[in-house]
Amino acid sequence: MKCFELQGPSGVEGLKLVDRPIPKPGPGQVLVRIKAATLNYRDLLTIKGGYGSRQKFPLIPVSDGAGVVETTGPDVRELAPGDRVVGSFFETWIGGEPSAAKLHGALGAAVDGVLAEYRVFPSQALVRTPDHLTDVEAAALPCAALTAWSAVLKLGGVRAGQTVLTQGSGGVSIFALQFAKMCGARVIATSSSDAKLERLKCLGADATINYRTAPDWGKKARELTGQGVDLVVEVGGVGSLNESIRATRVGGTIAFIGVLAGPPPAELRLPLMVMQQQRLQGVTVGSVEDLQAMCDAIALNGMKPVIDKTFPFSHVAEAFQHMASGAQFGKVAIAVG
């Protein structure tokens, strides 16, 4: 089979197209023919060695993929050849609370990912693809979509009538907007691009703020709501945390996910967070059970992931470069099959 292999933390230039034997599924395992993959910001960090000693080399990168069951191990009954499936980001976190053991072995870093024509998965780590989604759309679900689902519903507990603030137009942020609207919530979306803000309005954003022309966007968000938002889906990290604290109501939640906004400011407004009894909630994707619940909701509501651009398998380097540019709106995909 063809696959892309990274020999060391050398970035896009270190990705090499190589041949490996097609793996065979053992007991409790399933061989999946990968049809599509999508990129996350995490994948950019990974190919540069951003996971340190937890990374192994040579490595097949990228965590998010979807495909078709090719063959199954002798004791697998729940899946059959021809079934369309999505693989879980964490193969050993089936359900319940997270633990060190359950979070070990995330795809595309500690273990090989999906940038290959075939991959063997534990059968319990696979979820059937919602019928209305293409393989490219389904490949957007394991990390970005499930992270947004966990932030907005599982951990954020968003209800109809509440207000959610999203940051930017990457995969997690757009999924968060879609899930918030699915719940009947109001959404304030931020971006540095007026053109992207218009597209976010088309997806259902009730109000928008350009954070480049309004660097005090947290104050603006509080003014729009009168008391602050119920939930901020914080993908910027410590670099944008101060404004998220300003935007959040007394007793509200900041779902802390990303590192996109760079280093922290000289002074963090942590005392304000304490005074307002806000909750800072770390979010790390989710379990296989969470993935199933999310896919059920997506199927019931007919929701479609937003795909920015799909690259052929031979143009993987260009896909990474496009994502690194920040020009995308939604998910950057790779057609593998």
Side-chain angles (χ1 to χ4, degrees), residues 12 24 35 42 44 51 57 72 79 82 88 98 108 134 136 157 163 199 228 265 277 281 298 307 319 324:
V12 174
K24 295 182 179 180
K35 302 290 286 183
R42 167 190 184 266
L44 290 174
Y51 275 63
F57 296 105
T72 65
L79 293 168
S88 178
T134 67
V136 167
T163 302
R199 295 183 69 182
Q277 199 167 310
Q281 173 67 61
I298 287 173
I307 305 299

Side-chain angles (χ1 to χ4, degrees), residues 198-259:
E198 287 302 315
R199 295 183 69 182
L200 291 168
K201 285 181 183 178
C202 292
L203 287 174
D206 300 277
T208 58
I209 303 172
N210 186 317
Y211 64 76
R212 192 175 302 281
T213 58
D216 60 343
W217 53 266
K219 179 182 177 183
K220 300 289 186 186
R222 184 174 282 271
E223 290 172 352
L224 283 170
T225 59
Q227 62 176 2
V229 304
D230 298 281
L231 174 74
V232 174
V233 181
E234 174 58 82
V235 299
V238 290
S240 53
L241 183 57
N242 272 349
E243 289 305 310
S244 290
I245 293 172
R246 291 179 79 183
T248 304
R249 68 166 173 84
V250 173
T253 300
I254 300 170
F256 198 79
I257 297 165
V259 295

